[in-house]
Amino acid sequence: MKVDVLLGLQWGDEGKGKVVDVLTPNYDVISRFQGGPNAGHTLEFNNKKYVLRSIPSGIFQGDKINVIGNGVVLDPALFKEEVEALETSGHDLKSRLFISKKAHLILPTHRLLDACYESGKGNSKIGTTGKGIGPTYTDKVSRNGLRVGDILNDFENKYKNAVARHEEILNQYGFEYDLKPLEEAWFAGIEKLKSYTFIDSEYFINRQLENEKPVLAEGAQGTMLDIDFGSYPFVTSSNTITAGACIGLGVAPGKIGEVYGIFKAYCTRVGSGPFPTELFDEDGEKMRKVGVEFGSVTGRPRRCGWIDLVALKYAVMINGVTRLIMMKSDVLDSFETIKACIAYKINGEEVKNFPYEINENVSPVYEELPGWKIDMTKMQSEDEFPEEFKNYLKFLEEKLGVPITIVSVGPDRAQTIIR
Ligand code: GDP
Ligand code: IMO
Ligand code: MG
């Protein structure tokens, strides 16, 4: 048995949470492999809406095991908030949520450092989610991090040493802060965390595969936010791509099965950084309004634009996508024409590869397709698809060279069409 991976092909918020939930009945284990509470994965069913940040999206479909893998960074305070909200709504996860001992902990001072570095960047700030992601991964790579497994052994000392180091930096920057309330919430989170099972998740996952139990790896963020291949430096601090699942779960490359690449029928981005197809006109405004394009966690308005096939093709290549999933097609239901960026023009030359740097000299080259102008939100099968929509799917499949096997026509679990 192999691990299937589901991940975002754009700048995040493609709808990963919704589709992981839809696919969960096909799997025994769902596992997050990177990122942390910078993620906000939304699920809707039975007129209820949930937003998950660190917990995998496989918790609502039966008694499936959910794993927080070693590649994830975990904030105990936010973890506590998240599990308590779920407990209140009747979802007790204790027996089916396992946490890797090797996952790194986000300390309260990591969040302060995130804010401190951002304010120091002025106009070139990244627009992070402020969850301490960058500083936590920095400590991991510089071999100063604290891991979940450390909670069980001489923890107070390790914590104090790390915080002393962070405070020195904060003071150097002259950054003002009040650590006490953050620390209180954090240690209450540690107590909550201790009531969960810590595991050697690499052994756990590989054993599942040996026992023919299918595993789904749930990506966070998106390929264009990948630390190596995204629009650096306007990226997150982890590898969001398929290879990240190998590292973030301890699974060999040959054990990767299907790679589900998920994208919106258009494109969005939150935070700063290049976005070649961004719209500043009423089309962009309409996408934001109809698609309710506001951050699931931060509430920040998302920047909107047409689909970018240069970036998407790049993402398909880097990830080895075997199946595509198109989300939010309903948001384009009332558009007269649909535009798709098929190349960039850079200094008068047409370019089809994603360039090293995207600056003001890069402009999108569009192909226009007729809109379908029909409400698709109640459709149940592809037989109902209008001709223009079928053409859009065919056009995308031809350009990307991979079949689109799932189409989403609304936020609810039920508004999903499997082809
Ligand atoms: P994720 O981070 O990739 O899980 O995506 P988010 O949850 O941050 O953002 C996706 C948003 O789109 C959420 O508010 C979903 O409820 C919503 N959504 C998902 N699929 C569809 C769809 O097909 N149509 C519409 N209109 N909304 C959708
Ligand atoms: P999901 O999993 C969209 C963006 C931030 C910022 C950059 C770096 O819900 O798709 P960070 O806090 O990671 O250091 O911020 O990455 N970003 C996301 N954008 N969806 C996400 O997650 C994101 N997680 C981080 O806005 O531009
Ligand atoms: Mg999101």
Side-chain angles (χ1 to χ4, degrees):
M1 197 54 75
K2 296 192 172 182
V3 175
D4 292 345
V5 185
L6 184 144
L7 41 74
L9 299 180
Q10 296 164 319
W11 277 280
D13 300 329
E14 295 89 350
K16 298 173 289 292
K18 168 181 164 164
V19 180
V20 168
D21 171 65
V22 167
L23 294 177
T24 293
N26 303 336
Y27 296 91
D28 285 301
V29 179
I30 313 298
S31 185
R32 279 275 305 269
F33 59 89
Q34 47 68 234
N38 48 348
H41 294 181
T42 316
L43 293 81
E44 281 188 47
F45 53 91
N46 301 339
N47 296 319
K48 286 202 199 85
K49 181 170 159 175
Y50 300 91
V51 180
L52 299 173
R53 297 156 85 172
S54 300
I55 294 170
S57 302
I59 55 169
F60 297 110
Q61 298 259 31
D63 270 350
K64 304 303 172 96
I65 301 288
N66 284 257
V67 174
I68 296 180
N70 59 279
V72 172
V73 289
L74 193 62
D75 183 330
L78 296 179
F79 174 80
K80 178 170 179 281
E81 269 179 27
E82 198 174 335
V83 288
E84 283 178 353
L86 288 163
E87 280 163 7
T88 308
S89 58
H91 300 92
D92 188 2
L93 307 177
K94 284 241 172 71
S95 60
R96 54 200 179 90
L97 176 64
F98 302 151
I99 302 165
S100 169
K101 286 183 204 159
K102 294 192 175 76
H104 277 246
L105 290 169
I106 302 176
L107 272 53
T109 38
H110 284 133
R111 276 167 81 172
L112 294 171
L113 283 170
D114 196 352
C116 169
Y117 293 145
E118 278 287 88
S119 65
K121 278 181 187 272
N123 280 344
S124 54
K125 73 175 191 320
I126 289 160
T128 71
T129 58
K131 299 293 183 289
I133 305 297
T136 306
Y137 277 115
T138 302
D139 271 355
K140 171 178 176 174
V141 173
S142 65
R143 297 158 294 184
N144 286 309
L146 254 68
R147 301 187 290 177
V148 167
D150 289 328
I151 295 173
L152 309 171
N153 179 18
D154 191 23
F155 186 56
E156 293 271 328
N157 260 338
K158 287 177 189 158
Y159 173 83
K160 275 191 197 138
N161 289 339
V163 167
R165 209 167 29 79
H166 295 160
E167 290 202 280
E168 210 174 299
I169 302 170
L170 290 165
N171 292 333
Q172 271 169 15
Y173 274 80
F175 188 79
E176 286 180 20
Y177 60 92
D178 183 6
L179 186 55
K180 207 154 180 282
L182 295 176
E183 249 176 0
E184 272 167 24
W186 196 80
F187 277 104
I190 290 286
E191 285 313 305
K192 188 78 184 172
L193 201 55
K194 277 183 182 162
S195 64
Y196 280 77
T197 310
F198 303 160
I199 58 167
D200 294 308
S201 56
E202 62 276 35
Y203 276 112
F204 179 83
I205 299 277
N206 280 287
R207 207 165 296 133
Q208 298 296 314
L209 300 179
E210 277 161 29
N211 294 334
E212 298 297 317
K213 305 251 192 232
V215 176
L216 178 66
E218 171 181 1
Q221 291 77 56
T223 303
M224 302 315 289
L225 289 169
D226 180 89
I227 182 74
D228 281 275
F229 300 103
S231 43
Y232 193 89
F234 300 99
V235 293
T236 190
S237 299
S238 65
N239 283 114
T240 60
I241 58 173
T242 307
C246 296
I247 291 164
L249 294 178
V251 168
K255 292 259 171 71
I256 299 295
E258 298 290 347
V259 178
Y260 293 98
I262 179 163
F263 65 98
K264 287 180 192 178
Y266 49 102
C267 196
T268 64
R269 170 163 209 173
V270 258
S272 332
F275 181 2
T277 61
E278 183 169 10
L279 292 169
F280 301 94
D281 58 6
E282 66 259 32
D283 281 343
E285 204 45 59
K286 189 163 155 185
M287 287 171 187
R288 183 156 38 247
K289 194 155 171 252
V290 181
V292 200
E293 293 295 359
F294 296 90
S296 338
V297 175
T298 58
R300 289 185 290 178
R302 294 177 184 146
R303 299 154 66 192
C304 297
W306 295 113
I307 200 163
D308 182 341
L309 295 175
V310 179
L312 262 183
K313 233 180 145 159
Y314 181 65
V316 166
M317 173 183 82
I318 300 281
N319 289 302
V321 173
T322 59
R323 295 172 189 217
L324 287 165
I325 301 175
M326 185 164 90
M327 309 300 288
K328 303 192 92 157
S329 44
D330 54 298
V331 175
L332 301 184
D333 279 357
S334 65
F335 281 75
E336 198 71 40
T337 45
I338 312 292
K339 287 188 192 173
C341 167
I342 50 160
Y344 297 149
K345 200 158 246 180
I346 307 178
N347 300 324
E349 211 179 304
E350 236 176 72
V351 171
K352 293 206 169 167
N353 282 357
F354 196 75
Y356 173 74
E357 190 183 23
I358 296 194
N359 54 29
E360 57 287 351
N361 298 328
V362 177
S363 58
V365 177
Y366 286 116
E367 191 158 324
E368 285 194 24
L369 293 99
W372 42 94
K373 294 182 67 198
I374 191 167
D375 178 359
M376 289 185 60
T377 55
K378 295 193 180 56
M379 290 187 182
Q380 290 292 308
S381 97
E382 67 170 321
D383 302 336
E384 297 171 69
F385 289 168
E387 235 15 74
E388 294 84 352
F389 185 71
K390 282 188 197 159
N391 283 341
Y392 188 49
L393 290 179
K394 198 157 155 256
F395 166 81
L396 295 176
E397 286 179 329
E398 274 170 16
K399 291 280 180 213
L400 298 171
V402 182
I404 300 173
T405 56
I406 299 177
V407 171
S408 174
V409 293
D412 196 276
R413 184 193 271 170
Q415 291 170 299
T416 317
I417 297 165
I418 312 226
R419 306 171 78 206

